[in-house]
Amino acid sequence: MPITQQESERVAIVGASMTQFGQREGWIMDLLAEAGLECLEDAGVDAADVEHLYVSNMASGEFEGMTGVPNALAHDLDAMPAYTQRVDQTSSSGGAGIYAAWQSITSGASDMTLLVGGEKMSHRSTPETTDIIASVTHPVEYKTGVTLPSFAGLTARHYLEQFDAPRESLGKVAVKNHKNGVDNPNAQFQKEVDLETVLESPIVADPLRLYDFCPITDGSAALLFCPESVAKEYTDEYVVIAGVDGATDTHVVHEREDPTVMGGVVESGKGAYEMSGYGPADIDVAELHDMFTILEFLQMEGLGFAEQGEAWKLIEEGYTERDTGELPVNTSGGLKSKGHPLGASGIAQGVEIYEQLMGEAGPRQVEADVGLACNVGGFGNCVITTIMEAAQ
Amino acid sequence: MPITQQESERVAIVGASMTQFGQREGWIMDLLAEAGLECLEDAGVDAADVEHLYVSNMASGEFEGMTGVPNALAHDLDAMPAYTQRVDQTSSSGGAGIYAAWQSITSGASDMTLLVGGEKMSHRSTPETTDIIASVTHPVEYKTGVTLPSFAGLTARHYLEQFDAPRESLGKVAVKNHKNGVDNPNAQFQKEVDLETVLESPIVADPLRLYDFCPITDGSAALLFCPESVAKEYTDEYVVIAGVDGATDTHVVHEREDPTVMGGVVESGKGAYEMSGYGPADIDVAELHDMFTILEFLQMEGLGFAEQGEAWKLIEEGYTERDTGELPVNTSGGLKSKGHPLGASGIAQGVEIYEQLMGEAGPRQVEADVGLACNVGGFGNCVITTIMEAAQ
């Protein structure tokens, strides 16, 4: 049950950081410590003032044989005796971390919560990584060999046929997000791709091709939260969380009535809108979870930016372009070009919205007072939507 | 920063359950669903009314190759679109889940939060399980072969020498907790052991022997939380959380100044006492994390039930005996006889305190209005202390 803002003091974000995303040396602790320290420095807050430390991470045990990562990070940052805990919600662990951090502040449990998310994946082979990620699906599906990319292919095929959408519209999502990623110095791929390249890349899950998918990525991102009254002690400029909510859909994907509707997106969006008092028309910039190009359409529709079956028309019209569109989507480059280190991705979405609202996005800057991030776990099995606004 | 109770509505616990602990057939989903359904039934609450669902679990990915467990449980319980997330704090994941659930209610994010914790371990070999659990230690320690049992051995040796305590006092912890476990139908071991058996059992980490250690266990436990005003809609009798806090100590155990002091116990206890307004003398019954017998002493001292170096005298005096002692400790049988399914243990501690405060503990019942649970992660790397009281 989302609560309305005015019932309690608002939660401020006073610091943000992300590491270079891509193939990184070292191990997850290096990445987390890098992002965590940079975030504290960005905010001018001492590690000793951190009261809660949340680590968003899906699978450090599976990828690196290391658990207890939050304790290790508290030690590395010298944040002890700060309380610490791992937040896992598979690929939406980052968004879940934002929700957990919001709860820690709003409940009064913490006056300064550092959220650091990350994943170190690229040292494992692609089959190994695919298998670890596929473990998020229901065993019934997993055992028949259905992976997240194959769900994406099936859904894309269905979407294109049902709504008479051209295959090119999906390709244009990749083109747009790669173009945005050129201006993100932390993106894994800082290069444009043209539509032909996307459409002629190798088939992965028909009709989706290699360039419809995000890459395998190492990286970390961090955000620092406190009550608004505490934020004012450090700075005049900050961002507040206007609304946040999370929701599940069936874990067995094939039980959903309509594969083109992600219930978790719809429900979490509804909750975040209700809490914030904003609606889709109030959102100036959005980071959507484009793990697969088709997901950008499903979130555009589930969040009310487009009618069902019509998101593809908006990309054709340039509605979501960064410099000329009405609603710039994935100005960061999205998961598609920025990369998708599972536990970091939802937080990196928040970092982009934070920078946009603070006017710190450099060549990616758009006009924005209110921004939204949507972080999708599994194939929409659990989704967290966060709405942020510049403090006034 | 713990807040004082009166600042917001109190958090009530209206349902509790645990499965049979021990070697169980099936997989983790069976255990979690069993405890979750029984908890809802215990409270008379419908799954559709659950708004947040937290799953305390350390390593389903490592033990069973399955992630996304919270989503699967939301599906199995038919609790969708309830928000769900995994809470991992290694062996204190259960306590961390209680803290997360408390935050979810106090922040207003949820009016009905189901917490289910569990672990399925016994299908793996003991070396495999030991290796997964050892991954919680710092790599510096892990790579040199230091495991949690060896830390326990080193600490016990130090404690006995420094405080001139007899080896027998540690053995008496095992004897007491096994005796209590006889009356717990869900305990893994429902049998008494005598002091000789403990003292003559095989050496594991000198001076500690087999009977100083908890077993490897499968099991699940659950608690159901809501604001006090909502609790009154369902029942006149419930328990409230009077205080809860968590704290870290160094992740590298050998950096601690005094190995007989667990900083996380001290700090989390301080926070929980402060929030509740209670002190050690107000506690009528306690569940302490006796993963190793020595830990019961360290928590007795860290929580202020005994002076440093004197907890061993209390066991000798019978102070912690269930039927005759001043402060019954581990009336459930403790981790020692009940078993230690990592993610379930902190919740099962809460279940015992709940049953004691509700007068539902059957042959284990003691006189108690206020109870405390202390859940220890790693070797005290992170600790959560919870104080509960019967509603008035």
Side-chain angles (χ1 to χ4, degrees), chain A residues 118-352:
Chain A
E119 213 82 40
K120 178 76 181 76
M121 310 162 68
S122 73
H123 59 289
R124 301 294 291 267
S125 69
T126 301
E128 284 172 343
T129 299
T130 303
D131 195 52
I132 291 171
I133 296 173
S135 71
V136 309
T137 57
H138 191 280
V140 172
E141 296 167 333
Y142 176 77
K143 280 174 187 164
T144 56
V146 182
T147 59
L148 296 184
S150 52
F151 279 131
L154 292 164
T155 304
R157 163 74 59 209
H158 189 77
Y159 185 96
L160 296 180
E161 284 178 5
Q162 185 173 3
F163 302 121
D164 203 21
R167 169 66 183 88
E168 289 73 15
S169 63
L170 287 168
K172 286 175 182 172
V173 172
V175 171
K176 167 178 71 71
N177 294 351
H178 266 273
K179 196 171 149 202
N180 291 344
V182 170
D183 291 321
N184 188 342
N186 290 320
Q188 181 164 3
F189 299 130
Q190 298 167 40
K191 63 167 185 185
E192 292 201 44
V193 293
D194 59 24
L195 190 56
E196 267 178 15
T197 306
V198 177
L199 297 178
E200 286 167 15
S201 61
I203 286 182
V204 173
D206 188 53
L208 298 182
R209 292 165 181 261
L210 187 62
Y211 275 83
D212 288 291
F213 294 88
C214 69
I216 289 169
T217 312
D218 309 323
S220 178
L223 289 167
L224 188 62
F225 303 79
C226 61
E228 202 168 2
S229 59
V230 174
K232 289 182 199 294
E233 295 172 20
Y234 290 93
T235 178
D236 294 329
E237 291 184 282
Y238 52 89
V239 162
V240 295
I241 295 185
V244 58
D245 200 15
T248 43
D249 200 344
T250 66
H251 192 59
V252 181
V253 175
H254 66 256
E255 285 185 9
R256 295 178 196 164
E257 275 184 35
D258 184 343
T260 67
V261 174
M262 287 197 146
V265 172
V266 174
E267 292 298 325
S268 68
K270 214 183 277 182
Y273 285 135
E274 194 184 324
M275 179 173 153
S276 69
Y278 293 122
D282 299 310
I283 306 301
D284 301 315
V285 61
E287 289 284 305
L288 304 183
H289 192 97
D290 59 332
M291 185 175 180
F292 319 115
T293 49
I294 181 66
L295 288 190
E296 191 167 304
F297 289 174
L298 301 191
Q299 286 160 82
M300 290 285 294
E301 296 172 9
L303 293 165
F305 299 131
E307 295 295 317
Q308 193 185 7
E310 303 206 338
W312 67 269
K313 294 179 186 166
L314 296 186
I315 187 105
E316 296 281 351
E317 290 165 13
Y319 187 87
T320 52
E321 287 289 323
R322 185 183 78 195
D323 298 325
T324 53
E326 200 142 326
L327 175 66
V329 169
N330 285 326
T331 53
S332 69
L335 279 55
K336 178 71 197 80
S337 84
K338 196 176 53 197
H340 181 26
L342 310 167
S345 290
I347 302 172
Q349 290 180 322
V351 170
E352 179 70 12

Side-chain angles (χ1 to χ4, degrees), chain B residues 159-160 165-180 195 198 212 288 290 292-298 300-301 305-307 309-322 324-331 333 336:
Chain B
Y159 184 96
L160 296 180
R167 169 66 183 89
E168 289 72 15
S169 63
L170 287 169
K172 287 177 183 171
V173 172
V175 171
K176 166 178 71 69
N177 294 350
H178 266 273
K179 195 172 149 200
N180 291 342
L195 190 57
V198 177
D212 288 292
L288 304 183
D290 59 332
F292 319 115
T293 49
I294 181 67
L295 289 190
E296 188 166 305
F297 290 174
L298 300 190
M300 290 284 294
E301 296 172 10
F305 299 131
E307 294 295 316
E310 304 206 338
W312 68 268
K313 294 179 187 167
L314 297 186
I315 188 103
E316 297 280 351
E317 292 166 12
Y319 187 87
T320 53
E321 287 288 324
R322 187 184 77 194
T324 52
E326 199 141 329
L327 175 67
V329 169
N330 286 324
T331 52
K336 180 69 196 79

Side-chain angles (χ1 to χ4, degrees), chain B residues 89-100:
Chain B
Q89 183 40 260
T90 69
S91 35
S92 55
S93 297
I98 292 175
Y99 198 16

Side-chain angles (χ1 to χ4, degrees), chain A residues 344-361:
Chain A
S345 290
I347 302 172
Q349 290 180 322
V351 170
E352 179 70 12
I353 298 297
Y354 174 89
E355 293 188 349
Q356 290 289 354
L357 298 176
M358 292 285 284
E360 296 176 356

